[in-house]
Amino acid sequence: MASSSSSSSAAQALGGNPLEEWTGRVKALEAGFRAWMAKQPIHVEAAVTTAVGVVQGGALGGLMGSLTADGGSPFPMPPPPPNANPQAVASFKQAQALAGGPLVQARNFAVMTGANTGISCVMRRIRGAEDIQGSMAAAFGSGALFSLVSGMGTPNPVASAITSGVAFAVFQGGFFMIGQKFSKRQGVSEDTCYSSTRSMLQKLGLEKYEKNFKKGLLTDHTLPLLTDSALRDVKIPPGPRLLILDQIKRDPGLAKAQ
């Protein structure tokens, strides 16, 4: 007990944080795994990625299935009438596929997620980047397989699979384009907010501290208000802090509000 308490106190004295250490180890393992995957043939990476997607999708589907009315309610979904037309039966099958129990939903989501991640991996390796074409292809494959496995395709499973795949692809393509536009706008606005800061740091040879400014949200508007304690809070060492504060005092453009 004495040795463990002394080691923990020594770790605290050295500024060690168990949570940060575990986080660092997990990140190192993830980086190592990604580096290993990048060196593998495309079929190996696709197989591993698909397996991970199947596990994640199955877990999510099982959780969702346990919360659906059909899986947990004492009032199960009634069967369709015997003389129902094919369109009514198809609608019933679609509702049943989306409201099944934990095992049914786990199967459906495992197939859908596994297909999506596997196709995305293959398309990324072939095309060299994640783009809208690869994203839509993965969505089409996952939607088509989901339709076939879940039984939503009655009375014409092939046509229903194609329709579902196209719908998935269109929605995924739209979301991809919206995400790209949002990320571009965010990047442009962020760069605009730090243009003077970036120029100042480049003049001083302190470009590596730009990320510290961004982490602390020290934009161009805050330059006239900067103090030593503010720079210390964003983990900038004493020497660079003095250079930055001196540059702000010497430069009239930086000393004024942006």
Side-chain angles (χ1 to χ4, degrees), residues 72-251:
S73 174
F75 305 101
M77 182 180 295
N83 58 347
N85 56 40
Q87 287 78 13
V89 175
S91 299
F92 171 77
K93 289 292 185 180
Q94 292 177 358
Q96 194 176 43
L98 298 174
L103 293 179
V104 174
Q105 291 285 44
R107 178 202 63 190
N108 295 346
F109 276 83
V111 171
M112 181 175 63
T113 309
N116 189 283
T117 55
I119 298 174
S120 295
C121 172
V122 173
M123 294 297 294
R124 184 174 63 251
R125 287 288 291 265
I126 293 175
R127 300 181 63 84
E130 293 185 4
D131 53 15
I132 187 171
Q133 289 84 357
S135 180
M136 292 182 68
F140 178 85
S142 62
L145 287 177
F146 176 80
S147 176
L148 293 173
V149 172
S150 62
M152 292 174 60
T154 55
N156 192 338
V158 176
S160 180
I162 295 175
T163 303
S164 299
V166 171
F168 274 56
V170 170
F171 279 113
Q172 182 64 27
F175 287 134
F176 189 91
M177 293 178 65
I178 292 173
Q180 274 192 329
K181 291 182 179 180
F182 180 77
S183 61
K184 287 181 180 179
R185 290 179 180 177
Q186 188 177 19
V188 170
S189 61
E190 182 176 320
D191 289 342
T192 303
C193 292
Y194 294 96
S195 58
S196 298
T197 301
R198 184 180 303 105
S199 177
M200 175 190 67
L201 294 175
Q202 289 176 352
K203 290 180 181 178
L204 297 174
L206 303 175
E207 301 92 336
K208 64 179 180 179
Y209 294 111
E210 181 180 347
K211 63 180 182 297
N212 301 67
F213 277 79
K214 291 182 177 180
K215 185 177 181 180
L217 300 179
L218 299 177
T219 63
D220 293 345
H221 296 281
T222 65
L223 289 179
L225 307 175
L226 281 184
T227 61
D228 184 78
S229 60
L231 295 175
R232 187 188 313 120
D233 290 340
V234 295
K235 311 298 183 184
I236 296 180
R241 293 203 303 265
L242 293 174
L243 293 175
I244 292 169
L245 294 174
D246 181 68
Q247 182 65 24
I248 293 174
K249 291 180 181 179
R250 292 174 179 271
D251 192 332

Side-chain angles (χ1 to χ4, degrees), residues 52-64 102 105-107 109-111 113:
V52 173
V54 167
V55 173
Q56 292 177 343
L60 177 62
L63 178 61
M64 292 182 63
Q105 291 285 44
R107 178 202 63 190
F109 276 83
V111 171
T113 309

